[in-house]
Amino acid sequence: MNNKENLINLRIKMQENNIDTYILTGFDPHLSEYKTAHYNTVKFISGFTGSNGTVVITKDTANLWTDGRYFIQANNELDNDTFTLQKIGHKNTPTYINFACDNTPNNGTIALDGKTISTKDFNTISKLLSLKSLTLNTELDLISPLWTSRPTITNNIVFEHTLNFSGVSTTDKIKSIREKLKEKNCDLTAINVLEDIAWIFNLRGSDSSECPIFNSYAIVSLTDVVLFIDESKIINVKNYLSKLNITIKPYNYIYEYLKNLNDVNIFLKPSILNYSIFKNCKNLNIVNSDTNISEDLKASKNEVEIENIKKSTIRDCVALVKSIKYIKENIQNQISEFDVTGILTKYRSLQPNYLAPSFETICAYNSNGAMLHYSAKKNDCSIIKPSGFLLIDSGGQYLDGTTDITRTISLGNLTEEMKKDFTLVLKSVIAVSTATFIENVQGAKIDMLARIPMWNAGMDYKCGTGHGLGYVLNVHEGPSGIGSTLSPIRLNMLLTNEPGVYKEGQYGIRTENTMLVSKSFESFGDTFCKFDTVTFFPIDLDAIDKHLLTESELTWINDYHKKTFDTLSPYLNDDEVAWLKNETKAI
């Protein structure tokens, strides 16, 4: 069946169940960014393949909400006769919650799967229901009966992420969580974020193709630790978990487990907890918070993690040198965007400790680069030609780190406008890279530094400037980032720096490095920080208009390229060293 037929059949099911409005949030029960194919319900109904999409279906309308990264992609993937694109962030765009409530008739019923909506969003819906005497059904899964070929839930085996990679033992991590619980006068916390669970238990898996996590839940209390997971997944780590006195329960038993607890204080963050878990905590004293203990703890990397990420990033950049050199030297041989993914994977897989890509490679030639999260398909992509821009955003998962790097490659015949835009992006990168800031500054304030060069030229980009980077975990990690987030930036966090220019129908430009938040100096009792760049790879000199750079910016790019050559050249053969030397020459 195609998406139109799926939508027709869904409306039939809605009518049979007396449902006026049906919501598909696009999430799995862990509210994951990178979910398995089993939970691609938004794609099943709409055809949209982006990582952030919410669908609201009524009797007469079908709407999809997504953010600025996916506007162009959504326009291309949606059937515009069937679906209306709702652009998140535009002033006239309602939230999906307001839309659902406003477009459901009085005394009508809205339905969704409570395991796929955050408690925060559920609470928002609940406040609006009484205004129109609406009913909300959170127990109804209308997709499974329709999706007869639905992929099964992955159930792969997990492995221990040993101390030489993790740096801090599970015992010490649990101790830190318990100390935070005591500070908050709480007895336990429930955890459904898969990255947090992997970090706490020093385990990794492969239930997602982009992130080495595994399907599970966890509860950490002042006295016990319970891991809810299918036992077949832990056959190789049973002894490890037993020595840690971890109690193992079946994956879905967490709902019953919480229902049977009484009169204890539980610490929860509504925005990252699915509503079905929250609903089963009704006999508990719930302490709601805007912070998540394990998320906050894992965001600041320990010394072993920091040293490892530097090493894995060097190896990743070595693989990228080999890849980009090959692409530039073979551009006449009908290389496609899809082929580039294979080239990158080939050279990364030759590096020690390599596991997998850290996300689906974005390889976008010319106009495709204007789609921030463009995905080239084998039989639906562009052939790369010796002119214009090639944007490559890619990364790797290694046992000792997660990488994320973007470079926009000049293939020849660039216009002055293209060089100007490329240099504006570079100026924004430098502005953030050279910033000095007080510890705990909000990421939104750093974001301003990147946008000033753009704004001065009458331009902007509809996404954040950077995100937190996980360690052998999600390439996008909260709570901090460089964008709209108000979360504080602290020492030893890893953040990306990736401003860009995106001109629909023409090209996209993005330059991305990973940075470590380091101490710069103390002043009047305050700690001031700086960003130490840990990504070293050439920024294409052929695309730079040096007349648009100040003396200090020219110095930065020359110093950066010298450090790049000095860092990578020991790992390259003579031919590759010669290529790198030319790519990093002083300007």
Side-chain angles (χ1 to χ4, degrees):
M1 289 188 294
N2 60 33
N3 302 120
K4 271 190 175 179
E5 291 173 332
N6 294 339
L7 181 58
I8 290 169
N9 291 330
L10 175 59
R11 286 194 168 119
I12 293 171
K13 284 291 181 185
M14 288 168 62
Q15 188 173 13
E16 290 173 355
N17 289 274
N18 297 314
I19 301 301
D20 299 286
T21 302
Y22 196 66
I23 299 174
L24 295 169
T25 65
F27 285 120
D28 66 5
H30 307 280
L31 309 183
S32 305
E33 177 183 13
Y34 295 116
K35 52 194 174 291
T36 61
H38 178 83
Y39 293 104
N40 284 336
T41 54
V42 168
K43 178 183 176 183
F44 175 76
I45 285 297
S46 70
F48 176 66
T49 61
S51 66
N52 179 22
T54 298
V55 163
V56 177
I57 307 296
T58 69
K59 177 183 176 182
D60 302 311
T61 67
N63 290 259
L64 178 133
W65 278 255
T66 192
D67 61 66
R69 296 172 297 168
Y70 295 111
F71 290 164
I72 301 173
Q73 179 179 333
N75 270 323
N76 291 339
E77 292 181 339
L78 294 176
D79 180 343
N80 294 323
D81 294 331
T82 306
F83 271 88
T84 299
L85 173 61
Q86 301 284 358
K87 297 180 178 181
I88 296 173
H90 282 206
K91 64 180 181 179
N92 294 323
T93 300
T95 66
Y96 82 86
I97 293 173
N98 282 330
F99 181 92
C101 292
D102 289 344
N103 288 273
T104 302
N106 288 336
N107 302 307
T109 299
I110 300 172
L112 51 83
D113 182 351
K115 290 183 179 180
T116 64
I117 186 171
S118 72
T119 300
K120 180 181 179 180
D121 280 359
F122 170 84
N123 290 339
T124 302
I125 293 178
S126 296
K127 291 175 183 177
L128 296 175
L129 294 178
S130 60
L131 299 177
K132 294 183 67 174
S133 302
L134 302 178
T135 300
L136 181 62
N137 183 335
T138 62
E139 302 292 336
L140 201 56
D141 173 12
L142 296 182
I143 297 297
S144 291
L146 303 177
W147 198 353
T148 54
S149 59
R150 187 172 189 173
T152 57
I153 297 176
T154 49
N155 206 26
N156 299 324
I157 293 172
V158 305
F159 62 92
E160 183 184 354
H161 197 222
T162 52
L163 204 56
N164 58 313
F165 294 124
S166 62
V168 175
S169 70
T170 293
T171 299
D172 286 339
K173 290 176 180 179
I174 291 170
K175 181 180 177 182
S176 295
I177 293 172
R178 285 173 171 161
E179 288 172 354
K180 293 293 183 182
L181 286 173
K182 289 175 184 176
E183 289 176 11
K184 300 173 188 300
N185 194 31
C186 287
D187 302 288
L188 74 156
T189 184
I191 305 161
N192 81 176
V193 176
L194 299 182
E195 294 91 336
D196 287 15
I197 296 168
W199 176 82
I200 292 168
F201 294 99
N202 284 340
L203 297 174
R204 296 296 188 269
S206 57
D207 284 345
S208 164
S209 58
E210 294 89 1
C211 183
I213 43 79
F214 48 93
N215 292 320
S216 55
Y217 300 99
I219 287 178
V220 177
S221 77
L222 297 179
T223 55
D224 302 295
V225 180
V226 185
L227 178 62
F228 300 86
I229 189 170
D230 189 315
E231 285 214 38
S232 65
K233 300 174 72 67
I234 58 171
I235 55 175
N236 291 339
V237 293
K238 265 194 169 183
N239 290 338
Y240 164 76
L241 293 170
S242 177
K243 290 176 182 177
L244 294 171
N245 295 316
I246 308 297
T247 301
I248 305 299
K249 296 288 184 182
Y251 172 62
N252 277 315
Y253 186 69
I254 186 171
Y255 300 97
E256 193 69 25
Y257 185 95
L258 288 168
K259 191 186 297 184
N260 291 331
L261 293 178
N262 289 284
D263 200 30
V264 292
N265 297 338
I266 185 168
F267 184 82
L268 301 173
K269 182 178 179 180
S271 63
I272 60 171
L273 188 76
N274 84 51
Y275 170 69
S276 293
I277 288 180
F278 182 86
K279 184 174 66 173
N280 283 281
C281 296
K282 60 184 178 181
N283 296 325
L284 307 180
N285 304 316
I286 297 172
V287 178
N288 288 328
S289 175
D290 291 331
T291 62
N292 169 27
I293 295 173
S294 46
E295 181 184 49
D296 283 351
L297 289 172
K298 83 176 190 301
S300 290
K301 311 310 176 199
N302 63 57
E303 291 182 6
V304 171
E305 289 173 327
I306 290 169
E307 287 307 306
N308 282 342
I309 192 68
K310 290 177 180 178
K311 293 174 183 177
S312 60
T313 302
I314 289 172
R315 296 198 306 276
D316 195 68
C317 288
V318 166
L320 210 62
V321 165
K322 297 173 184 290
S323 301
I324 301 304
K325 178 178 181 294
Y326 177 88
I327 293 165
K328 280 198 165 189
E329 292 177 350
N330 290 273
I331 200 68
Q332 304 288 350
N333 296 334
Q334 296 286 297
I335 297 174
S336 73
E337 295 167 324
F338 184 81
D339 292 334
V340 170
T341 298
I343 294 167
L344 294 170
T345 301
K346 170 189 171 183
Y347 284 111
R348 281 192 168 108
S349 65
L350 296 174
Q351 297 299 317
N353 296 332
Y354 178 76
L355 295 172
S358 55
F359 56 95
E360 186 175 16
T361 295
I362 300 167
C363 177
Y365 178 59
N366 278 350
S367 61
N368 290 335
M371 291 181 275
L372 276 75
H373 279 219
Y374 170 77
S375 175
K377 307 303 180 187
K378 185 174 184 179
N379 298 316
D380 184 18
C381 64
S382 297
I383 299 297
I384 301 164
K385 299 175 182 178
S387 65
F389 279 138
L390 178 66
L391 187 156
I392 302 176
D393 186 350
S394 67
Q397 294 285 6
Y398 300 83
L399 283 171
D400 52 352
T402 299
T403 66
D404 184 7
I405 177 173
T406 307
R407 286 296 184 269
T408 305
I409 309 301
S410 166
L411 300 174
N413 300 319
L414 299 187
T415 65
E416 291 305 310
E417 179 186 5
M418 296 169 85
K419 290 185 177 183
K420 173 191 170 187
D421 290 345
F422 186 95
T423 309
L424 279 175
V425 172
L426 177 55
K427 289 171 75 74
S428 294
V429 168
I430 295 171
V432 174
S433 301
T434 56
T436 298
F437 52 94
I438 195 167
E439 188 180 17
N440 293 317
V441 70
Q442 294 170 337
K445 295 180 179 178
I446 301 293
D447 182 73
M448 296 273 295
L449 299 176
R451 295 187 192 270
I452 288 173
M454 296 284 182
W455 290 345
N456 286 339
M459 299 170 64
D460 193 25
Y461 46 96
K462 308 304 180 185
C463 58
T465 297
H467 54 81
L469 182 68
Y471 177 76
V472 201
L473 287 171
N474 198 335
V475 73
H476 300 136
E477 179 175 273
S480 298
I482 304 175
S484 60
T485 176
L486 299 180
S487 296
I489 293 177
R490 304 193 309 270
L491 285 170
N492 297 333
M493 284 183 166
L494 287 171
L495 298 168
T496 65
N497 176 11
E498 48 181 309
V501 166
Y502 308 98
K503 292 188 173 179
E504 187 171 357
Q506 298 184 59
Y507 50 80
I509 300 165
R510 183 162 65 251
T511 299
E512 177 186 20
N513 287 333
T514 296
M515 310 175 302
L516 176 71
V517 182
S518 302
K519 183 177 177 180
S520 184
F521 58 87
E522 297 275 348
S523 179
F524 297 102
D526 290 317
T527 298
F528 285 82
C529 301
K530 61 179 180 175
F531 290 123
D532 286 339
T533 299
V534 299
T535 305
F536 291 102
F537 188 83
I539 297 169
D540 204 313
L541 297 174
D542 292 335
I544 296 174
D545 183 347
K546 69 178 182 179
H547 300 101
L548 298 178
L549 296 173
T550 65
E551 284 299 320
S552 62
E553 289 168 337
L554 279 168
T555 297
W556 185 91
I557 186 67
N558 286 332
D559 288 347
Y560 176 79
H561 274 157
K562 182 180 185 305
K563 183 75 177 288
T564 295
F565 181 82
D566 292 344
T567 301
L568 301 184
S569 57
Y571 304 94
L572 303 171
N573 63 34
D574 291 346
D575 189 36
E576 292 160 347
V577 167
W579 182 87
L580 182 63
K581 191 174 186 65
N582 182 64
E583 296 288 316
T584 57
K585 62 190 177 188
I587 58 173

